[in-house]
């Protein structure tokens, strides 16, 4: 257990950040699932644009690594283009 005021504050701050990051990661995974589940190309492209936007924002904020975002966007683009 923490013994200093700064340690208690750090625990609270870390908990808030972890909750926010969990929300953003969940949002990202849902967006990726929507792209994968799309049946036709039009809905897949729309979902892909939204997923790319979310991935870029999370990479910018440092929630995910920029290479992870790039790899995910690349994989999703291949899947969308395969629907043609």
């Amino acid at each position: 257990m923490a013994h200093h005021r700064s340690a208690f504050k750090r625990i609270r701050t870390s908990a808030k950040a972890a909750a926010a990051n969990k929300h953003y990661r969940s949002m990202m995974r849902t967006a990726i699932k929507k792209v994968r589940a799309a049946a036709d190309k039009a809905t897949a492209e729309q979902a892909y644009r939204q997923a790319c936007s979310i991935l870029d924002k999370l990479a910018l904020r440092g929630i995910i690594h920029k290479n992870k975002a790039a790899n995910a966007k690349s994989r999703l683009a291949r899947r969308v283009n395969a629907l043609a």
Side-chain angles (χ1 to χ4, degrees), residues 31-71:
I32 290 171
K33 285 177 189 174
K34 284 182 183 176
V35 176
R36 289 182 180 156
D40 61 298
K41 186 152 179 146
T43 56
E45 286 176 343
Q46 184 178 3
Y48 174 72
R49 280 194 296 273
Q50 290 175 344
C52 284
S53 175
I54 290 170
L55 287 165
D56 288 335
K57 285 178 189 173
L58 296 185
L60 189 66
R61 291 177 184 174
I63 295 170
I64 61 172
H65 195 273
K66 64 177 185 171
N67 290 353
K68 179 179 174 74
N71 289 337

Side-chain angles (χ1 to χ4, degrees), residues 1 12 17-18 23 26 28 40 55-56 61 63 75 84:
M1 189 64 194
R12 286 196 312 268
H23 165 73
S26 172
M28 173 189 70
D40 61 298
L55 287 165
D56 288 335
R61 291 177 184 174
I63 295 170
R75 277 192 221 104

